[in-house]
Amino acid sequence: MKRLAIFCVNYNSYSELNNYITSLDEAAALCAEVSTDVFVVDNTEKDYKDVSYNVANIRVNVIGNHQNIGYFGGIRKGMQQADMSQYDFYVISNVDVLVEKDFFQKFAVAEYEDNIGIVAPQIYSRKENKHRNPGRMERYSRRSIKIMQFLYSHPMLYAFYYNYVYKFRKPSKQQLVPRREIYLAHGSFIILTKSFYNRCGIVNYPVFLYGEEIYLAELCRNHELKTIYDPSLKVIDIDHVSTGKIKYKRWCKFNHDALTYILDNVLKD
């Protein structure tokens, strides 16, 4: 029996949250070999709902935070409420995702070596009609992060770069690749292993939004752990339900602040 804790953060996305919980419960109904606890941290500040779920195959714990402490701020709060030592794996996820019906069946039989810290599932974006993982194969250089940091500090310059450079880059081929080691996992649904928890503890990323994927990738690297892409585990990404509402200049500031923290506190070389 594998013991799994899922930590997700809701911000004014109750419909998507309900669909997500339903997909987890339906997938769990097909597999008795995985015991699943879901911890929902509700960051919704106004007009929040007192939610409960009548599920049969998973256990759902709702933590009514009701203040917006950001994505990983909410994840940290959820992990602080859980007895982390009793689980074998830990999922960090958005609520605008769905798991495929065979997710837990495939997860039950998957095996991962002790030196693996993160498992990146297959994530398919309906909106963009492409796969989100592998998130990135090669590590970012310090120079490349500084360039991104500079662009985010000048919103008009970043807008020019995005609209006239980034958009016209030759797209990578969107085909499935086999299971392999990668650098970075897409942040909408990330599986952490027991080895990650034993070496790194609960996530402690004091940044409101963005940069989470680089933070986790570098945390693994600093603790001699690997990130692996496993396409047998399938997730559907509905895309940016909460973050898509952020105004452009604020979005740039969040990204700039995240990269500044990573440069100053996370990158070791």
Side-chain angles (χ1 to χ4, degrees), residues 17 47 78-79 82 106 159 174 209 223 227 251 267:
L17 174 60
D47 299 323
M79 289 184 168
K106 295 293 181 65
Q174 289 302 315
L209 272 177
H223 289 85
T227 296
W251 178 83
L267 291 185

Side-chain angles (χ1 to χ4, degrees), residues 2 4 34 89 103-110 112 191 233:
K2 287 182 177 177
L4 175 66
V34 179
F89 294 88
F103 180 88
F104 289 112
Q105 292 172 307
K106 295 293 181 65
F107 181 67
V109 298
Y112 306 106
I191 303 170
L233 308 175

Side-chain angles (χ1 to χ4, degrees), residues 3 5 7 75-76 78-92 113-119 191-204 215-216 219-220 223 225-226:
R3 298 165 299 175
F7 300 93
I75 295 297
R76 181 174 64 250
M79 289 184 168
Q80 289 170 339
Q81 298 289 320
D83 181 1
M84 297 286 286
S85 64
Q86 70 174 297
Y87 300 105
D88 304 306
F89 294 88
Y90 318 84
V91 167
I92 295 173
E113 295 79 11
D114 290 340
N115 64 346
I116 293 175
I118 292 175
V119 178
I191 303 170
L192 308 180
T193 67
K194 191 73 167 185
S195 295
F196 179 97
Y197 173 68
N198 287 340
R199 298 191 195 185
C200 307
I202 67 172
V203 297
N204 188 27
Y215 164 76
L216 290 176
L219 205 58
C220 272
H223 289 85
L225 291 169
K226 297 179 179 181

Side-chain angles (χ1 to χ4, degrees), residues 183-249:
Y183 167 65
L184 178 148
H186 190 267
S188 60
F189 194 100
I190 296 175
I191 303 170
L192 308 180
T193 67
K194 191 73 167 185
S195 295
F196 179 97
Y197 173 68
N198 287 340
R199 298 191 195 185
C200 307
I202 67 172
V203 297
N204 188 27
Y205 181 57
V207 174
F208 186 75
L209 272 177
Y210 304 119
E212 299 93 353
E213 296 133 321
I214 302 176
Y215 164 76
L216 290 176
E218 289 296 318
L219 205 58
C220 272
R221 189 174 185 274
N222 294 340
H223 289 85
E224 299 181 337
L225 291 169
K226 297 179 179 181
T227 296
I228 192 168
Y229 169 60
D230 186 351
S232 72
L233 308 175
K234 300 176 184 178
V235 176
I236 298 171
D237 191 355
I238 310 302
D239 288 302
H240 310 305
V241 170
S242 295
T243 58
K245 302 172 185 176
I246 298 174
K247 292 183 178 180
Y248 177 68
K249 287 187 177 180

Side-chain angles (χ1 to χ4, degrees), residues 29-71:
L30 303 178
C31 178
E33 288 75 37
V34 179
S35 173
T36 304
D37 291 334
V38 182
F39 296 85
V40 180
V41 181
D42 192 357
N43 278 356
T44 306
E45 298 168 291
K46 299 179 180 178
D47 299 323
Y48 55 82
K49 301 177 182 179
D50 293 324
V51 294
S52 60
Y53 293 94
N54 183 23
V55 290
N57 308 289
I58 60 176
R59 292 166 296 279
V60 180
N61 308 274
V62 179
I63 302 166
N65 188 50
H66 304 315
Q67 54 179 323
N68 195 0
I69 56 176
Y71 184 22

